[in-house]
Amino acid sequence: MGTLYEALQLILQVVWFVMIVHIIMSWLINFQVLNLRQPLVAQLWDGLNRLLEPIYRPIRNLLPDTGGLDLAPLVVFIAIIILQRALANNAGFFYGL
């Protein structure tokens, strides 16, 4: 069961990292540091959007319209923190303690 605990923690950490990359990349695109006409940038951006959109879409449907401010990543960050702490607090269950 310890392997399951570690796998869940790893998945949450990978999602956290992918979200950070997506957010930083969106800032760089908006400030025109990166250009979507570059094939590598466009492919990376499209891939990150395809990975994260299924997570963000249901949250965006629940949140009120805030104009140009997207709060879905913030809600997902909070959910990941809560899940990581819940897993850490119940680690004894996974390790049989």
Side-chain angles (χ1 to χ4, degrees):
M1 288 292 273
T3 305
L4 178 62
Y5 169 76
E6 291 170 10
L8 291 173
Q9 286 284 22
L10 180 64
I11 289 170
L12 290 173
Q13 289 173 357
V14 167
V15 171
W16 180 277
F17 177 74
V18 169
M19 287 178 59
I20 293 290
V21 170
H22 184 256
I23 291 169
I24 291 172
M25 194 168 174
S26 73
W27 291 343
L28 293 175
I29 289 170
N30 285 332
F31 290 123
Q32 297 177 355
V33 175
L34 293 177
N35 189 349
L36 286 176
R37 291 186 207 133
Q38 297 171 342
L40 179 63
V41 173
Q43 287 178 350
L44 185 60
W45 180 247
D46 184 51
L48 289 173
N49 281 330
R50 287 178 188 232
L51 280 173
L52 294 173
E53 191 59 31
I55 299 171
Y56 291 159
R57 187 179 310 118
I59 296 169
R60 285 184 184 133
N61 290 338
L62 294 174
L63 293 175
D65 185 25
T66 55
L69 185 62
D70 186 14
L71 296 177
L74 178 63
V75 172
V76 175
F77 275 134
I78 292 171
I80 288 173
I81 291 169
I82 291 170
L83 286 171
Q84 284 178 329
R85 293 201 178 156
L87 281 172
N89 288 338
N90 295 309
F93 169 77
F94 291 102
Y95 288 110
L97 298 176

